Amino acid sequence: MTEQPKYLVVADTLRREIAEGVFTDGQTLMTEEELRLRFNVSRQTVRQAIALLEDDGLVDRRRGSGTYVRHGPRQHQGSISVGVITTYITDYIFPNIVGGIENVLSENGCVMSLSATYNDPKTERAILERMIAGGVDGLIVEGTRTAEETTNRDLYQRLAERNIPVLFMNTYYPSLSGRPHVIMDDYGGGRMAAREIITRGYRNPAFMFKEDDLQGPERGRGFMDEITMRGIDVPEENKLWFTTEDRMNLFASERARAFLNRLADGKSADCLVCYNDVFAINVISALADLGCRVPEDLGMISFDNAYFAEVNRPALTTLGHPKEEFGAMAAEKLLRMIEGEKERSVSMSWTLVERDTLPRRG
């Protein structure tokens, strides 16, 4: 294996120490002589390493004064290159979100590289490695299985060391603190769904949420907090948690079929909250095969207001995701981060889209 050049060793060590807070913004890094002695290298090697840190926007070299740490904009060669990593691209609400991102980036002369992980951490890892090697200037990332600990923490650390800004969207890794995100208020959405159910006269709710992405647990937590506060109990048999592996064939499992049969019997529940519109459509079809009609026999509310929610029969009552506006906000924030600005996280609100699947009772 070829030994890494000494100037890269020095640069990587200093990047890591700056990211870890050993050297903070505004602090003098070290003199060339101190660095030469520390790493046992030549002054020319030290200068090459400092030049790389300057390119990364991590230091500011002032003649006659010294080298100061600062997290400013990286030096760009030509157009700004932005990587966009989503779980899916071509289906559901993702084309609209990506469209919002692309509009902003193209208006600002940026080059966008788009990849999908299919909610697989190994695929995410391969994409991140490719983006880093390709010299991307910033990343918009929808994390994979964010209810679980990420196995790609080292790559996000490497991005931080290179001063490459990362903005998470839709979901984020709670353990990666300090990285801003643009998400929907999933906890608030769960509470909103519960309120709609109660105000429309339903008293025996059931729910199905995805458990390996942070959105599902947050929606479930909000739903249960609101329902419990209003004195309504949800028995365990009325709760269905599923994972990414269940996405394509959810009702193949014995557990899911038993859940459907309980919904269809008309006794265990009078309404259902679905994780999103895709699953709502699938549930409506599966229940129809069992002789259960929505909304006549079972009320339903879901999330996202996908393009097919209105044309489906029955049309879905759902909580609307802003999609294009959401993607545009993510892109605008990342561009400001690339220019060296600090950005705060944003949690966007859901809007009720009232259609046919959750009529008032009584």
Side-chain angles (χ1 to χ4, degrees), residues 4 25 33 60 62 66 72 99 107 110 162 198 214 221 224 237 239 247 253 278 291 326 353-354 360-361:
Q4 191 177 30
D25 280 8
E33 180 63 13
D60 183 16
R62 304 174 192 172
E107 287 171 3
C110 301
R162 295 295 303 272
I198 293 167
L214 196 60
R221 186 169 67 88
M224 286 304 302
E237 58 266 24
K239 304 173 185 177
R247 183 174 183 264
S253 71
V278 168
F326 181 93
V353 183
E354 186 171 354
R360 296 185 181 275
R361 294 170 63 91

Side-chain angles (χ1 to χ4, degrees), residues 167-168 172 176 178-183 329 333 337 342-348:
L167 178 83
F168 288 105
Y172 62 97
L176 295 180
R179 292 163 176 84
H181 53 256
V182 175
I183 62 171
M329 179 180 289
K333 280 184 169 291
M337 291 167 66
K342 302 293 184 182
E343 284 292 317
R344 293 184 177 182
S345 296
V346 170
S347 179
M348 299 184 75

Side-chain angles (χ1 to χ4, degrees), residues 14-23 58 71 157 160-161:
L14 294 174
R15 285 188 186 111
R16 183 171 61 254
E17 291 178 346
I18 291 171
E20 292 172 351
V22 175
F23 301 101
L58 290 172
H71 282 79
Q157 177 64 21
E161 291 170 4

Side-chain angles (χ1 to χ4, degrees), residues 70-175:
R70 57 115 189 181
H71 282 79
R74 293 167 52 83
Q75 294 186 15
H76 310 300
Q77 303 298 324
S79 299
I80 292 174
S81 174
V82 173
V84 179
I85 304 173
T86 61
T87 49
Y88 304 95
I89 293 176
T90 59
D91 60 355
Y92 199 46
I93 64 173
F94 296 100
N96 301 90
I97 295 173
V98 171
I101 294 172
E102 187 175 25
N103 287 340
V104 170
L105 295 182
S106 63
E107 287 171 3
N108 286 274
C110 301
V111 176
M112 184 178 80
S113 176
L114 179 62
S115 300
T117 65
Y118 301 97
N119 216 29
D120 175 44
K122 291 181 180 179
T123 303
E124 179 191 68
R125 185 172 193 83
I127 294 169
L128 287 172
E129 289 175 337
R130 187 176 74 244
M131 295 282 187
I132 293 171
V136 69
D137 294 307
L139 284 171
I140 298 174
V141 180
E142 180 182 29
T144 63
R145 301 179 189 249
T146 49
E148 305 169 357
E149 182 62 45
T150 178
T151 57
N152 296 323
R153 172 184 288 274
D154 60 319
L155 294 181
Y156 287 109
Q157 177 64 21
R158 194 187 307 172
L159 287 161
E161 291 170 4
R162 295 295 303 272
N163 198 28
I164 299 173
V166 176
L167 178 83
F168 288 105
M169 70 169 184
N170 279 331
T171 185
Y172 62 97
Y173 298 110
S175 62

